[in-house]
């Protein structure tokens, strides 16, 4: 093999290493058997949520995983492999891929990476049950508003009780 080909392959692996390092999460799936329309549907929802899905040679993925220090991913990189990377939302790839794995029998979630740690299929499934970023922010705001709301109700109750007292 010529040195230029080896250099080109090394450059591809370096690009994948950068994606692994930048990603908050990555989900590895087997997509064999999906129709073009099904793949398009999955890719559209991923894209709408800021997730990038790529089909990458398993050899490149293994080398990139080794270079980043991820152990235990070699078993995932067998057969037709696609990987969904998210740099912003750690939950989105797991939620979307798990949703479509239930909808399409031919899409199989294998495992992945969450916040820099190798994740099993079970961990990906648990992560997929969490609400999206907006849902989590909504829940946080609700929790933060509760004490203020309770104080407002107490003040209103005291004011109402003073209004209800007969004048002497």
């Amino acid at each position: 093999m010529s040195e230029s080909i080896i250099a080109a392959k090394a450059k591809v692996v370096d690009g994948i290493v950068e994606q692994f390092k930048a990603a908050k999460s990555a989900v590895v799936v087997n997509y064999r058997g999906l129709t073009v329309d099904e793949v398009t549907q999955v890719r559209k929802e991923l894209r709408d949520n800021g997730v990038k899905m790529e089909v990458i040679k398993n050899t490149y993925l293994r080398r990139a995983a080794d270079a980043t220090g991820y152990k235990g991913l070699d078993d995932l990189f067998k057969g037709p492999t696609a990987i969904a990377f998210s740099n912003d939302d750690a939950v989105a790839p797991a939620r979307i891929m798990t949703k479509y794995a239930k909808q399409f029998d031919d899409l199989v979630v294998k495992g992945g990476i969450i916040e820099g740690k190798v994740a099993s299929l079970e961990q990906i499934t648990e992560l997929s049950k969490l609400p999206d970023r907006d849902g989590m922010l909504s829940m946080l705001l609700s929790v933060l508003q509760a004490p203020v709301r309770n104080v407002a109700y107490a003040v209103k109750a005291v004011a109402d009780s003073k209004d209800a007292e007969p004048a002497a």
Side-chain angles (χ1 to χ4, degrees):
M1 210 180 299
S2 73
E3 287 186 30
S4 63
I5 293 173
I6 292 172
K9 289 181 178 186
K11 189 174 182 178
V12 170
V13 170
D14 289 343
I16 299 167
V17 166
E18 291 306 313
Q19 285 183 305
F20 273 134
K21 288 180 179 177
K24 286 194 175 188
S25 70
V27 176
V28 180
V29 296
N30 179 342
Y31 62 92
R32 182 188 325 221
L34 290 180
T35 66
V36 173
D37 288 338
E38 291 169 343
V39 171
T40 302
Q41 187 178 350
V42 172
R43 283 185 182 268
K44 181 184 180 320
E45 186 164 346
L46 289 169
R47 210 176 19 256
D48 291 347
N49 285 278
V51 180
K52 181 179 176 185
M53 181 174 134
E54 289 188 52
V55 176
I56 303 172
K57 285 181 138 188
N58 290 327
T59 307
Y60 295 158
L61 287 170
R62 276 189 217 99
R63 290 186 181 172
D66 288 343
T68 52
Y70 295 130
K71 304 293 180 211
L73 289 176
D74 286 352
D75 291 342
L76 304 181
F77 303 139
K78 292 184 177 152
T81 303
I83 187 164
F85 293 100
S86 176
N87 295 349
D88 301 321
D89 186 357
V91 177
R95 184 175 33 82
I96 295 166
M97 288 302 197
T98 303
K99 170 186 153 186
Y100 282 108
K102 290 176 186 171
Q103 187 174 342
F104 305 133
D105 292 335
D106 293 328
L107 183 70
V108 179
V109 176
K110 298 179 180 181
I113 300 163
I114 302 169
E115 296 287 343
K117 294 187 172 61
V118 175
S120 67
L121 174 60
E122 293 78 24
Q123 291 168 319
I124 297 289
T125 304
E126 286 300 315
L127 181 66
S128 72
K129 294 176 184 174
L130 292 175
D132 63 354
R133 185 176 187 276
D134 291 337
M136 284 192 217
L137 288 174
S138 169
M139 290 167 57
L140 175 64
L141 286 175
S142 176
V143 168
L144 293 175
Q145 286 178 339
V148 174
R149 191 174 351 155
N150 291 342
V151 168
Y153 287 145
V155 169
K156 184 176 183 316
V158 168
D160 289 346
S161 71
K162 293 211 180 206
D163 288 343
E165 288 179 7

